[in-house]
Amino acid sequence: MTGDAVKAKNGSMVAYDGQMAFKKLSGGGEGLRGMVTRRITGEQMTVMEVSGHGTCWFADRASEINLVSLQGDKLYVESSNLLATDAGLRTGTSFTGLRGASQGNGLFTTTVEGSGQAAIMSDGPAVVLRVSAQYPLTVDPGAYVAHQGNLRQSFQSGVTFRTLVGEGGGEAFQIRFEGDGLVYVQPSERNTVAGEV
Amino acid sequence: MTYGTPGVVVHDPMTLPADDNVNSYTFCVELKGTQWFLQKGKMIAYYGSIDFNGIGHGRLDRLVRTSFHSPLHASDWVVAEGSGKMLLADRAFDVNSYDLDQGNLTIRAGNLLAFQPSLALKQSIVPGFLTLIGTGTFVAASNGPVVFMEPPIRVDPQALVGWADCPSPCHHYDHGYMTGLMGGLRAMTGLGGASGEEHQFEFVGAGTVLLQSTETLMAEQATGAVPQQAGVPGARGGHTGPAQQPGTPRLPGQLGDLQRRFGL
């Protein structure tokens, strides 16, 4: 860094050299309105602003870190998977519908918008999958980490009477992505409602 | 508009490998109207149209009859069917595929992720293990990369993933170190230097032994109960031969052996 700043998850700094200042941004650093929205939607994140000269290293519980560069497009990521962003990127919340509920992450997700770089965390290195018009993609909610671009997501449920008698297909809930963009999946599944049926 | 980050590989159905690893932790299976067995919940994403059905699905009866011989274990398995490319992963463990050609391989039940129906899955006589017989590909997870060893070899119980073609896995105890009164005390208390390696599995004969590079076991996966019959290892309630203290196996050096050792 040369005098500029990044936003990062509180307490994720592991080392730095040079001169750094760490400032906590209450309620996600989006002002009062953002703070209230985050409270209501359950997408709280504790963020700090790091500025100064030198190199700063971030890490969290030895998760894999994936860099995403944005050129004016929007990244949708769970607040628990977001490690750091350039200070120039705007963060916000958006409604995800049933997908969020099936992941156990609530109905809302965090968005990162603008131009710059963001670091997202995953359990094991994320696989980046391109979605285009002729290739829609279906993802297990437990393995979904983030997506970017112009994508429509729809929620698929395969719950039938078989699920109820314990003979389900094991993949009862799925998210289908259509449109044009990228989806990040991790080689591991969170414990979700969907994983149990 | 193109998305993506310089230096980051982006996969689409054209660039994804067919039946090969995407990275060390993710495996891609290509389905062309074919079927695969997989453990519940190990699919992370797929392109194309793929159906997942429980083993109990009526239409799959014939398939299950020919290649699935672990009836009480069936609720943990599903059949993927359709066309497209499917990504498999398991809790960020290393995954790898193995080809069998008219062969047999026995693997710890928790490590097996998926297999082609041209292979037959059977419960092993060794409790907690499954055996695959036939020709085809299967995918297995391990804690750290797998190494292949040739018998004769003695391996640490926690590092064992499976074995192929060699019929005689057995227990091996380091008797020279563990017998006698002092040896017994050492084994029981750890005082005087128990190395923790007095017990191994021994393999002899021709074949291959698969080891993982840590001694952290993957979670056990129930293989289902075996028929309650006399002579079936692991079956409860059957006649178990001469009177033995129930429960614990008797290692040399256990106090129960002392009277025999002193000729009492």
Side-chain angles (χ1 to χ4, degrees):
Chain A
M1 278 187 280
T2 49
D4 50 340
V6 296
K7 278 192 271 192
K9 186 175 171 170
N10 229 9
S12 63
M13 187 276 290
V14 288
Y16 69 92
D17 59 21
Q19 290 287 320
M20 291 283 166
F22 300 88
K23 190 174 92 182
K24 186 180 176 193
L25 299 174
S26 297
E30 296 152 24
L32 190 59
R33 184 160 165 274
M35 186 166 150
V36 171
T37 323
R38 285 202 171 270
R39 261 305 133 91
I40 296 171
T41 55
E43 281 285 315
Q44 290 106 325
M45 32 180 212
T46 42
V47 177
M48 59 185 181
E49 189 180 60
V50 185
S51 52
H53 295 265
T55 314
C56 189
W57 287 272
F58 299 103
D60 189 34
R61 280 169 292 165
S63 335
E64 288 285 333
I65 292 164
N66 309 274
L67 272 184
V68 179
S69 73
L70 295 171
Q71 285 106 26
D73 51 322
K74 212 178 203 179
L75 175 78
Y76 296 78
V77 59
E78 283 306 318
S79 59
S80 53
N81 287 104
L82 185 63
L83 180 65
T85 66
D86 282 346
L89 292 171
R90 291 182 304 283
T91 52
T93 45
S94 84
F95 182 71
T96 58
L98 275 171
R99 177 195 45 91
S102 70
Q103 282 173 307
N105 279 333
L107 293 170
F108 296 86
T109 195
T110 296
T111 57
V112 182
E113 214 179 340
S115 294
Q117 287 206 315
I120 57 177
M121 294 182 289
S122 57
D123 184 10
V127 176
V128 191
L129 296 167
R130 182 182 303 284
V131 179
S132 51
Q134 69 268 42
Y135 297 122
L137 175 73
T138 315
V139 174
D140 187 290
Y144 165 85
V145 175
H147 73 269
Q148 71 181 111
N150 180 23
L151 289 177
R152 288 181 308 284
Q153 44 181 316
S154 54
F155 182 74
Q156 285 186 336
S157 159
V159 182
T160 60
F161 78 96
R162 286 182 198 284
T163 314
L164 301 176
V165 297
E167 289 284 343
E171 309 288 356
F173 298 101
Q174 295 165 353
I175 329 165
R176 189 173 172 85
F177 287 97
E178 285 168 47
D180 185 27
L182 301 178
V183 178
Y184 297 78
V185 292
Q186 63 184 11
S188 169
E189 301 199 352
R190 283 181 287 263
N191 289 325
T192 62
V193 187
E196 300 297 315
V197 287
Chain B
M1 166 156 190
T2 54
Y3 303 97
T5 310
V8 173
V9 186
V10 176
H11 293 283
D12 64 31
M14 307 316 286
T15 63
L16 276 174
D19 297 345
D20 203 358
N21 275 65
V22 179
N23 58 31
S24 302
Y25 312 97
T26 314
F27 187 85
C28 179
V29 169
E30 186 175 27
L31 292 173
K32 292 172 177 163
T34 49
Q35 296 164 318
W36 268 74
F37 280 98
L38 61 143
Q39 246 190 52
K40 254 184 196 179
K42 305 304 183 206
M43 182 279 293
I44 57 169
Y46 65 86
Y47 287 106
S49 67
I50 297 175
D51 281 336
F52 298 89
N53 283 307
I55 294 279
H57 202 69
R59 214 160 36 79
L60 299 171
D61 247 9
R62 225 191 106 256
L63 179 72
V64 170
R65 219 177 306 141
T66 52
S67 47
F68 201 89
H69 296 262
S70 187
L72 296 165
H73 180 39
S75 62
D76 296 324
W77 288 84
V78 293
V79 176
E81 192 175 14
S83 57
K85 286 192 172 173
M86 168 173 74
L87 296 181
L88 304 176
D90 186 17
R91 290 160 290 168
F93 286 121
D94 286 69
V95 291
N96 268 305
S97 70
Y98 306 86
D99 292 314
L100 280 181
D101 182 21
Q102 291 296 330
N104 71 81
L105 185 137
T106 304
I107 187 168
R108 207 176 275 279
N111 292 62
L112 185 64
L113 286 193
F115 63 97
Q116 272 180 333
S118 56
L119 291 167
L121 178 77
K122 308 194 178 191
Q123 277 168 277
S124 170
I125 295 178
V126 184
F129 284 81
L130 297 168
T131 301
L132 290 159
I133 301 175
T135 302
T137 306
F138 68 94
V139 181
S142 60
N143 210 337
V146 164
V147 286
F148 297 88
M149 306 296 275
E150 296 260 313
I153 187 176
R154 293 182 185 145
V155 305
D156 189 280
Q158 284 87 47
L160 180 68
V161 172
W163 62 90
D165 299 332
C166 39
S168 62
C170 50
H171 294 278
H172 175 88
Y173 296 96
D174 206 340
H175 276 284
Y177 192 66
M178 301 220 341
T179 47
L181 184 59
M182 286 312 289
L185 283 177
R186 271 200 296 262
M188 266 194 309
T189 61
L191 291 178
S195 70
E197 306 284 4
E198 289 86 0
H199 172 216
Q200 299 113 25
F201 290 155
E202 176 156 3
F203 290 86
V204 292
T208 312
V209 180
L210 280 68
L211 303 176
Q212 61 183 12
S213 39
T214 65
E215 296 195 358
T216 315
L217 279 179
M218 303 201 18
E220 283 278 313
Q221 182 71 241
T223 52
V226 290
Q228 302 289 306
Q229 262 173 9
V232 177
R236 273 178 296 274
H239 184 59
T240 48
Q244 225 185 13
Q245 280 151 349
T248 51
R250 300 222 295 182
L251 304 172
Q254 249 178 341
L255 269 184
D257 279 353
L258 278 183
Q259 64 272 53
R260 204 189 62 212
R261 191 150 322 134
F262 293 132
L264 295 173

